């Protein structure tokens, strides 16, 4: 892909003792207006071609742009050690939330790992995971945050830096906006550069595999009532939220959200224990006037309550389905490297954690979920069931 070039110049002191190094000029992305990327290449601000970073797919639609810098500062020439400085600069044109229009509260995760070459092509675990602060209510955030890693010069060619733009969500797990992966070996003479190398990339959509949920929807116009029949789920990514399947107790939380973003009603299913493919066969009923049908959104969130001592009995089901939740009762869990929900969270195992989510309504961005909603409006009183992947 072609880089975005600008004429602005910036001097940025490195952290602490690193301030003696001179920073290079970097390109601003604020004037960009397009979204489609014709290629997959990038050019650094110091003029070195970088052709192996993984950004937006060829001919695909970018999820926005991300600008970041990398620099290696030698601190001990005798021992051949130094500091790798990763600076998240800014993002521009980030894709808005799946629901609620262009709402976006972005932050960026930085993951560093050592590339391991093996016949099985197994990915190495992360060596370092960082995140920036969250910038509220913008699709064009500026971060200017740096993260420093101790690294031997001989290890640089094996290190890979991955940046993932995330969107915080008050009601569910954060959404992955897009990501870019940059092996340091692909930056020409990286260890010998005295200036910071700044890279500008289109963000590629993340490849998620969080599991699927099968549920049916039915709307009764005369009763002004919508039924959500939660049938089952399969292959839920439980390793993102618990260490052992025996601690995995999934349930589904359903929220009815108004066009202004206010939660009108919340309900949930019962828990299922020790399974990544739970079966519920439960129906949740929501009052919904016909005048609201085109404006509301239903948000389905798969959650888990780890280390639950007992599974709720059938007599508890009615209490669970009408329970009112406190919004701060769910904490966020750190999943694996490729997960959309990798983020900082409260590690208290007694609190519920998010596995994934999906939204349905006339105004959601996903075509499959929007069509499912339109199908029940076109066929009142009929139950329309469909599988949906979690995000």
């Amino acid at each position: 892909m072609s880089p975005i070039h600008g004429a602005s110049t910036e001097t940025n002191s490195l952290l602490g003792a690193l301030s003696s190094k001179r920073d290079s000029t970097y390109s601003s992305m604020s004037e960009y207006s397009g979204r489609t990327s014709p290629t997959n290449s990038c050019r650094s601000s110091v003029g070195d071609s970088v052709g192996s970073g993984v950004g937006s797919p060829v001919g695909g639609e970018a999820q926005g742009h991300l600008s970041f810098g990398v620099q290696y500062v030698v601190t001990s020439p005798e021992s051949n050690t130094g500091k790798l400085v990763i600076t998240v600069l800014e993002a521009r044109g980030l894709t808005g939330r799946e629901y609620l229009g262009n709402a976006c509260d972005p932050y960026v995760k930085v993951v560093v790992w050592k590339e391991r070459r093996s016949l099985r092509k197994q990915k190495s675990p992360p060596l370092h995971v960082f995140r920036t602060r969250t910038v509220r209510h913008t699709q064009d955030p500026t971060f200017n945050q740096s993260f420093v890693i101790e690294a031997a010069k001989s290890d640089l060619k094996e290190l890979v830096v991955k940046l993932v733009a995330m969107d915080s969500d008050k009601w569910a797990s954060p959404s992955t906006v897009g990501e870019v992966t940059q092996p340091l070996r692909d930056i020409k003479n990286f260890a010998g550069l005295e200036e910071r190398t700044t890279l500008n990339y289109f963000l590629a959509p993340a490849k998620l595999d969080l599991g699927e949920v099968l549920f049916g929807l039915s709307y009764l116009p005369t009763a002004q009532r919508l039924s959500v029949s939660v049938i089952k789920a399969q292959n839920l990514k439980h390793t993102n939220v618990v260490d052992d399947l025996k601690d995995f107790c999934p349930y589904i939380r359903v929220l009815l959200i108004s066009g202004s973003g206010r939660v009108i009603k919340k309900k949930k299913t019962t828990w299922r224990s020790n399974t990544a493919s739970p079966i519920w066969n439960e129906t949740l009923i929501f009052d919904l006037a016909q005048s609201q049908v085109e404006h509301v959104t239903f948000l389905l969130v798969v959650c888990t309550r780890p280390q639950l001592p007992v599974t709720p009995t059938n007599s508890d089901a009615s209490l669970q389905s009408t329970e009112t939740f406190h919004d701060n009762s769910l904490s966020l869990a750190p999943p694996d490297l490729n997960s959309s929900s990798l983020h900082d969270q409260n590690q208290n195992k007694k609190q519920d954690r998010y596995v994934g989510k999906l939204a349905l309504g006339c105004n959601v961005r996903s075509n499959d979920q929007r069509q499912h909603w339109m199908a029940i409006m076109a066929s009142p009183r009929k139950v329309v069931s469909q599988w949906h992947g979690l995000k």
Side-chain angles (χ1 to χ4, degrees):
M1 98 200 40
S2 300
I4 306 165
H5 294 288
S8 61
T9 303
E10 170 190 88
T11 55
N12 181 27
S13 61
L14 297 175
L15 307 181
L18 305 180
S19 58
S20 61
K21 290 291 181 179
R22 184 166 59 92
D23 192 18
S24 63
T25 303
Y26 76 93
S27 306
S28 172
M29 296 181 293
S30 6
E31 297 180 359
Y32 175 73
S33 60
R35 285 241 176 189
T36 302
S37 58
T39 66
N40 215 14
S41 63
C42 171
R43 189 173 298 274
S44 70
S45 61
V46 296
D48 294 319
S49 177
V50 183
S52 297
V54 180
S56 180
V58 175
E61 183 178 353
Q63 307 298 299
H65 285 151
L66 181 65
S67 176
F68 64 98
V70 289
Q71 182 177 4
Y72 185 69
V73 181
V74 177
T75 56
S76 177
E78 296 81 8
S79 59
N80 201 30
T81 61
K83 297 181 182 294
L84 173 63
V85 184
I86 304 169
T87 304
V88 182
L89 298 171
E90 62 181 8
R92 293 294 179 263
L94 296 180
T95 301
R97 202 163 297 162
E98 178 73 19
Y99 62 102
L100 297 181
N102 292 323
C104 193
D105 297 321
Y107 66 91
V108 175
K109 297 179 304 188
V110 180
V111 185
V112 180
W113 75 91
K114 181 178 290 188
E115 196 169 34
R116 179 175 59 187
R117 299 182 181 276
S118 66
L119 296 178
R120 296 182 180 181
K121 297 183 178 180
Q122 295 179 344
K123 292 187 177 180
S124 302
L127 298 176
H128 305 277
V129 180
F130 307 99
R131 62 158 289 173
T132 67
R133 68 183 184 279
T134 299
V135 182
R136 302 291 181 184
H137 312 305
T138 180
Q139 293 175 268
D140 304 302
T142 298
F143 301 101
N144 289 324
Q145 286 187 254
S146 295
F147 306 98
V148 181
I149 301 169
E150 296 281 351
K153 191 173 183 179
S154 57
D155 292 336
L156 290 180
K157 290 185 178 181
E158 298 179 352
L159 295 181
V160 179
V161 178
K162 181 177 183 178
L163 294 95
V164 186
M166 304 292 297
D167 175 24
S168 298
D169 193 326
K170 181 179 181 181
W171 308 114
S173 53
S175 303
T176 301
V177 179
E179 59 186 34
V180 59
T181 303
Q182 178 63 63
L184 296 184
R185 68 172 183 273
D186 294 328
I187 302 178
K188 185 178 179 181
N189 194 29
F190 173 66
L193 296 176
E194 295 186 356
E195 298 178 343
R196 182 176 72 188
T197 300
T198 300
L199 307 170
N200 304 295
Y201 272 110
F202 293 93
L203 291 169
K207 297 180 180 179
L208 303 177
D209 186 15
L210 304 178
E212 296 179 301
V213 177
L214 174 64
F215 60 91
L217 300 175
S218 175
Y219 184 65
L220 301 178
T222 53
Q224 300 189 83
R225 188 177 67 190
L226 185 134
S227 301
V228 181
S229 300
V230 182
I231 303 172
K232 60 182 178 179
Q234 65 181 15
N235 302 323
L236 296 180
K237 194 77 171 181
H238 67 279
T239 55
N240 291 351
V241 290
V242 294
D243 296 327
D244 197 314
L245 184 60
K246 67 180 179 61
D247 296 325
F248 189 54
C249 301
Y251 69 92
I252 292 184
R253 185 185 187 196
V254 182
L255 298 87
L256 173 59
I257 303 176
S258 68
S260 62
R262 181 175 64 88
V263 173
I264 302 173
K265 190 73 174 178
K266 311 173 190 177
K267 294 189 177 183
K268 69 176 182 178
T269 66
T270 54
W271 297 288
R272 295 293 180 265
S273 298
N274 310 331
T275 177
S277 299
I279 298 176
W280 286 285
N281 289 322
E282 299 180 25
T283 299
L284 307 178
I285 307 297
F286 293 85
D287 294 327
L288 182 63
Q290 285 185 284
S291 59
Q292 296 178 303
V293 168
E294 295 183 0
H295 307 289
V296 299
T297 299
F298 275 86
L299 185 65
L300 283 78
V301 187
V302 178
C303 311
T304 181
R305 180 162 295 176
Q307 295 186 350
L308 196 65
V310 294
T311 302
T313 63
N314 292 334
S315 61
D316 298 328
S318 59
L319 295 176
Q320 292 185 41
S321 62
T322 58
E323 180 180 347
T324 300
F325 296 89
H326 297 289
D327 295 336
N328 60 356
S329 65
L330 299 183
S331 68
L332 308 178
D336 63 19
L337 187 59
N338 293 321
S339 172
S340 65
S341 55
L342 176 62
H343 56 283
D344 290 345
Q345 52 101 31
N346 186 341
Q347 295 293 331
N348 185 354
K349 286 184 176 294
K350 295 183 180 180
Q351 292 186 339
D352 296 357
R353 302 181 183 181
Y354 301 112
V355 179
K357 63 183 177 182
L358 60 96
L360 293 103
C362 291
N363 303 309
V364 300
R365 194 166 59 248
S366 171
N367 184 63
D368 288 344
Q369 293 158 25
R370 186 173 62 252
Q371 291 301 321
H372 191 178
W373 183 263
M374 300 301 291
I376 66 167
M377 296 299 106
S379 303
R381 303 177 184 85
K382 179 182 178 181
V383 178
V384 181
S385 300
Q386 188 174 331
W387 284 98
H388 291 282
L390 297 174
K391 298 182 179 180

